[in-house]
Amino acid sequence: MIRSAVRGVAVTALTTTLALLPTLAHAEGKDKDNDIERLELTGITKLDTSPWRLVAGDSWTTHLALYTTEKKAGKKQLRYAGDGESECNAIRVNTELLTNHKWLTAQCTRVLRLKKGTLTLSDMITYYSHKRVTAKTAIIGGTGHYRSAYGDGYITLDGRHVHLELNVDE
């Protein structure tokens, strides 16, 4: 049988070890391999299946060609980076015929297929038709190089163009 004094020392040692585990794990997560990767992409819409007249509950898919921007000889050039797809659902739609304002709130899930792997994003955006809008987006997963990715960023919708500024943490 274990004496009460020995049992007390064993319980104290076990409690101390368990209390320090989160601190040790947290210290390991801050090494140079876990830096945040900044990713900027420009998407050009290739296909959009959104209905002509949207109502709440409608859904649509948008296919994108994705590009990165490089500077060569002082000029900006687009370089193909992959493709992407957005699946969106209309949450709220407002059409006011007298004021000509039409706004829409949509919940979207986006998959970006890049050379290193895929990134999955989720966002909710409210925008007026034919106006540029910028909103927050969340990185909710990935594959390949991005298999344990999370983070956030901004998405800007401007007609057929989509600009993404992402902070990818792994």
Side-chain angles (χ1 to χ4, degrees), residues 67-119:
Y67 300 90
T68 56
T69 304
E70 297 183 336
K71 279 192 177 182
K72 280 192 177 179
K75 293 183 180 181
K76 286 185 178 181
Q77 294 181 340
L78 292 179
R79 181 175 166 202
Y80 184 76
D83 65 359
E85 183 173 281
S86 301
E87 291 188 21
C88 298
N89 295 304
I91 305 300
R92 292 181 8 193
V93 179
N94 183 6
T95 306
E96 297 176 13
L97 298 175
L98 298 176
T99 61
N100 203 19
H101 287 311
K102 180 178 181 178
W103 56 265
L104 161 72
T105 300
Q107 171 67 47
C108 299
T109 301
R110 305 172 198 284
V111 176
L112 312 177
R113 289 178 288 277
L114 306 169
K115 292 175 186 171
K116 292 181 177 181
T118 64
L119 282 171

Side-chain angles (χ1 to χ4, degrees), residues 131-145:
K131 290 191 180 182
R132 178 183 174 150
V133 65
T134 300
K136 278 289 249 190
T137 188
I139 300 167
I140 59 172
T143 65
H145 173 73

Side-chain angles (χ1 to χ4, degrees), residues 11-24:
V11 169
T12 303
L14 182 60
T15 304
T16 304
T17 303
L18 291 175
L20 289 176
L21 278 178
T23 306
L24 296 172

Side-chain angles (χ1 to χ4, degrees), residues 113-132:
R113 289 178 288 277
L114 306 169
K115 292 175 186 171
K116 292 181 177 181
T118 64
L119 282 171
T120 304
L121 312 176
S122 180
D123 47 69
M124 187 173 291
I125 300 176
T126 299
Y127 56 94
Y128 290 87
S129 54
H130 310 296
K131 290 191 180 182
R132 178 183 174 150

Side-chain angles (χ1 to χ4, degrees), residues 35-95:
D35 288 343
I36 293 174
E37 178 182 343
R38 183 151 169 80
L39 189 59
E40 282 194 53
L41 298 166
T42 299
I44 299 175
T45 302
K46 297 298 181 186
L47 175 69
D48 186 348
T49 66
S50 60
W52 174 254
R53 188 171 191 84
L54 284 167
V55 295
D58 282 346
S59 61
W60 65 95
T61 303
T62 305
H63 297 277
L64 302 167
L66 298 171
Y67 300 90
T68 56
T69 304
E70 297 183 336
K71 279 192 177 182
K72 280 192 177 179
K75 293 183 180 181
K76 286 185 178 181
Q77 294 181 340
L78 292 179
R79 181 175 166 202
Y80 184 76
D83 65 359
E85 183 173 281
S86 301
E87 291 188 21
C88 298
N89 295 304
I91 305 300
R92 292 181 8 193
V93 179
N94 183 6
T95 306

